[in-house]
Amino acid sequence: MALQITYSAGVYEINGMLISKNGNTLKSHIEALMECSKGIVLSLNKVLEIDGEAVKSIMSLYEKARRNDKMFYIIGMKNKKVSEKFSSLNLNDILL
């Protein structure tokens, strides 16, 4: 399944497999959005699969937002695959 990004009610919803092959594409897309917004709310609740490289891409976005005083929220605690991957990298404290 290809990665899909939809926008609704202020939330960017990621749907599909978020893996190293498309993590940088997601990162580039969100960075462009961040340039013209005060912040980003990214939902990973519909992610079917996630790997460590994709998590690193998301963390890079999170850190960039913090450096630029922009809000960046990551929703995904309800998705077991996402929460397990973030937890395995000791990053689960940033998930909502």
Side-chain angles (χ1 to χ4, degrees):
M1 173 183 225
L3 187 68
Q4 295 178 325
I5 304 170
T6 57
Y7 179 79
S8 178
V11 177
Y12 291 93
E13 180 81 50
I14 309 303
N15 189 354
M17 295 179 64
L18 185 51
I19 53 176
S20 58
K21 291 180 182 179
N22 56 22
N24 285 329
T25 302
L26 172 69
K27 182 180 173 198
S28 296
H29 184 72
I30 298 298
E31 282 177 334
L33 294 170
M34 226 186 285
E35 291 293 322
C36 59
S37 70
K38 293 181 181 180
I40 300 288
V41 178
L42 188 66
S43 174
L44 305 178
N45 283 332
K46 294 183 179 177
V47 168
L48 302 174
E49 191 68 44
I50 189 166
D51 66 13
E53 290 300 314
V55 173
K56 288 179 186 177
S57 293
I58 292 169
M59 287 309 302
S60 174
L61 290 167
Y62 179 80
E63 292 298 326
K64 183 174 185 174
R66 289 185 61 183
R67 284 192 308 272
N68 293 311
D69 294 321
K70 298 195 180 221
M71 69 169 195
F72 191 85
Y73 296 108
I74 306 166
I75 301 168
M77 193 61 101
K78 292 181 181 179
N79 183 323
K80 186 176 180 180
K81 288 185 180 187
V82 169
S83 63
E84 285 177 354
K85 183 56 75 176
F86 272 74
S87 181
S88 74
L89 297 171
N90 294 320
L91 299 171
N92 58 333
D93 57 326
I94 65 165
L95 281 180
L96 302 175

